[in-house]
């Protein structure tokens, strides 16, 4: 009996101890909770945790080894940077991709560029091949003899595709592509195609050359067309910043200032005040055509004429 009472008393003591400890822990937790709440009330209230608006979780991983043996994360930014370590495509593929995208963007720019390249190659054989030389001189050169005497009026347009020097070709094609893309988008906003502008600019600038030519001179190249594109684009976006290199000196200026400068240089060239060997009258004709076309475009005449021509063409077809 005595042993059972001792075991019963020991059990009661253990149970009382457990109840006392649990009540003490609850009491201490309530005290800590009240203290914490009082601290947050002093701070101004709010949640226990404050969110950081600048924090963005990312699921970047360690990634794989790159070509230089470094680990790169698998996040989006690292994937974009990883392309910088890849080799560019072969030159032939890059050229093919360029001309494919150019044709998709504007067939006028594509055919103007490719035909200029083709006839530039032919001009390199004009001294060795009599047939090629005769063909080019009779049909791809703008002169009083070809246009006015021989009535080869197609030379007014075909002469724009002729380039005898690589520097002349490269400069014209660069300007043709640069300003042609911008002008194409501007005209497309009113449903006007680019090719009438290019052909008309070639004819106008060639006629300007013939009107101001005092001797038996001739002119070739896309300069009249490219300056017409430049004039139209500069008058539409006069504050556009243009960058160029003149005598290895980088220059940046608004497009309208460049337009005015080219007009002044062309007039000075016609008067013989600046270097010869350049068809300044053709350049002035291109700048003048671009200005007149812009005036007609702003007044809505170009859009109206384009609509009437399309309507007549659809009626005939």
């Amino acid at each position: 009996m005595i042993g059972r009472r001792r075991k019963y008393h020991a059990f009661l003591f253990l149970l009382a101890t457990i109840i006392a400890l649990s009540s003490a822990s609850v009491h201490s937790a309530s005290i800590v909770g009240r203290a914490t709440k009082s601290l947050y009330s002093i701070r101004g209230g709010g949640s226990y945790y404050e969110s950081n608006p600048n924090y963005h979780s990312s699921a970047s991983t360690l990634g794989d080894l790159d070509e230089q043996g470094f680990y790169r994360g698998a996040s989006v930014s690292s994937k974009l940077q990883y392309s910088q370590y890849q080799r560019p495509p072969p030159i032939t593929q890059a050229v093919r991709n360029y001309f494919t995208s150019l044709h998709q963007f504007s067939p006028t720019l594509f055919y103007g560029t490719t035909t200029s390249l083709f006839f530039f190659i032919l001009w390199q054989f004009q001294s060795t091949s009599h047939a090629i030389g005769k063909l080019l001189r009779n049909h791809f050169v703008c002169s009083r003899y070809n246009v006015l005497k021989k009535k080869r009026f197609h030379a007014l347009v075909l002469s724009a595709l002729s380039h005898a020097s690589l520097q002349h070709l490269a400069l014209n094609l660069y300007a043709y592509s640069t300003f042609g893309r911008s002008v194409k988008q501007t005209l497309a906003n009113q449903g006007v195609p680019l090719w009438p502008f290019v052909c008309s600019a070639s004819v106008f600038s060639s006629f300007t050359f013939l009107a101001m030519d005092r001797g038996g001179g001739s002119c070739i190249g896309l300069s009249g067309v490219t300056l017409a594109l430049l004039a139209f684009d500069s008058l539409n976006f006069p504050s556009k910043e243009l960058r160029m290199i003149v005598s290895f000196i980088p220059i940046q200026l608004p497009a309208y200032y460049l337009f005015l400068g080219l007009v002044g240089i062309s007039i000075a060239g016609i008067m013989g005040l600046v270097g010869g060997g350049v068809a300044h009258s053709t350049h002035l004709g291109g700048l003048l055509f671009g200005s007149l076309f812009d005036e007609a475009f702003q007044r809505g005449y170009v859009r109206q004429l384009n609509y009437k021509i399309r309507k007549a063409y659809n009626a005939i077809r």
Side-chain angles (χ1 to χ4, degrees):
M1 292 293 293
I2 297 175
R4 290 181 179 180
R5 289 179 180 177
R6 289 180 179 178
K7 291 181 180 181
Y8 179 72
H9 291 165
F11 174 76
L12 291 178
F13 177 78
L14 178 60
L15 181 61
T17 303
I18 293 173
I19 294 174
L21 290 176
S22 61
S23 61
S25 61
V26 171
H27 180 67
S28 62
S30 62
I31 294 175
V32 173
R34 287 195 298 270
T36 305
K37 290 182 179 179
S38 63
L39 288 175
Y40 277 97
S41 64
I42 295 174
R43 292 175 59 235
S47 173
Y48 294 169
Y49 302 96
E50 293 184 357
S51 62
N52 184 1
N54 298 322
Y55 174 76
H56 300 281
S57 62
S58 61
S60 60
T61 58
L62 185 60
D64 299 326
L65 284 172
D66 62 7
E67 296 180 356
Q68 296 184 351
F70 294 99
Y71 280 104
R72 300 296 177 183
S75 61
V76 176
S77 60
S78 63
K79 289 181 180 179
L80 294 176
Q81 295 176 358
Y82 184 75
S83 61
Q84 299 177 0
Y85 296 93
Q86 297 178 348
R87 290 185 178 181
I91 296 179
T92 55
Q93 181 180 350
V95 172
R96 184 166 57 252
N97 294 340
Y98 170 78
F99 282 106
T100 300
S101 62
L102 184 63
H103 183 270
Q104 293 175 352
F105 180 78
S106 172
T108 302
L109 296 178
F110 171 79
Y111 289 115
T113 301
T114 53
T115 52
S116 296
L117 292 171
F118 174 74
F119 287 112
F120 168 74
I121 296 174
L122 288 185
W123 273 104
Q124 309 313 307
F125 298 96
Q126 59 95 16
S127 59
T128 58
S129 174
H130 176 73
I132 293 178
K134 183 178 180 180
L135 174 68
L136 294 175
R137 287 190 297 270
N138 291 341
H139 301 282
F140 293 87
V141 174
C142 178
S143 63
R144 284 180 171 268
Y145 176 81
N146 280 338
V147 177
L148 301 181
K149 186 176 181 178
K150 292 296 184 179
K151 303 297 187 295
R152 297 166 181 163
F153 299 111
H154 54 275
L156 296 171
V157 177
L158 297 182
S159 61
L161 304 175
S162 296
H163 298 83
S165 67
L166 181 60
Q167 181 180 1
H168 192 203
L169 173 71
L171 182 61
N172 276 341
L173 289 186
Y174 175 77
Y176 182 64
S177 176
T178 301
F179 295 106
R181 290 175 180 270
S182 180
V183 173
K184 192 263 183 185
Q185 294 178 340
T186 303
L187 296 179
N189 292 333
Q190 294 191 12
V192 180
L194 179 62
W195 68 266
F197 181 98
V198 172
C199 295
S200 302
S202 177
V203 173
F204 189 93
S205 59
S206 296
F207 263 125
T208 305
F209 170 80
L210 296 177
M212 296 185 177
D213 181 38
R214 301 174 182 176
S218 61
C219 69
I220 59 174
L222 270 171
S223 299
V225 176
T226 57
L227 290 179
L229 293 170
L230 183 149
F232 180 82
D233 192 59
S234 299
L235 294 175
N236 275 273
F237 308 101
S239 297
K240 178 192 293 186
E241 293 291 331
L242 298 178
R243 298 177 179 86
M244 65 194 71
I245 297 178
V246 179
S247 299
F248 301 99
I249 300 176
I251 298 177
Q252 180 176 344
L253 73 167
Y256 187 71
Y257 291 168
L258 177 61
F259 165 72
L260 295 178
L262 291 174
V263 171
I265 293 174
S266 299
I267 295 176
I270 294 173
M271 298 174 62
L273 301 179
V274 296
V278 179
H280 293 286
S281 56
T282 306
H283 295 177
L284 183 62
L287 294 169
L288 180 60
F289 176 83
S291 304
L292 295 175
F293 194 93
D294 175 71
E295 184 67 22
F297 182 79
Q298 299 298 334
R299 293 177 179 268
Y301 299 152
V302 176
R303 180 173 54 84
Q304 295 175 8
L305 180 60
N306 179 69
Y307 172 77
K308 293 179 180 180
I309 293 176
R310 284 181 176 271
K311 185 177 180 180
Y313 174 76
N314 293 329
I316 295 174
R317 190 178 60 174

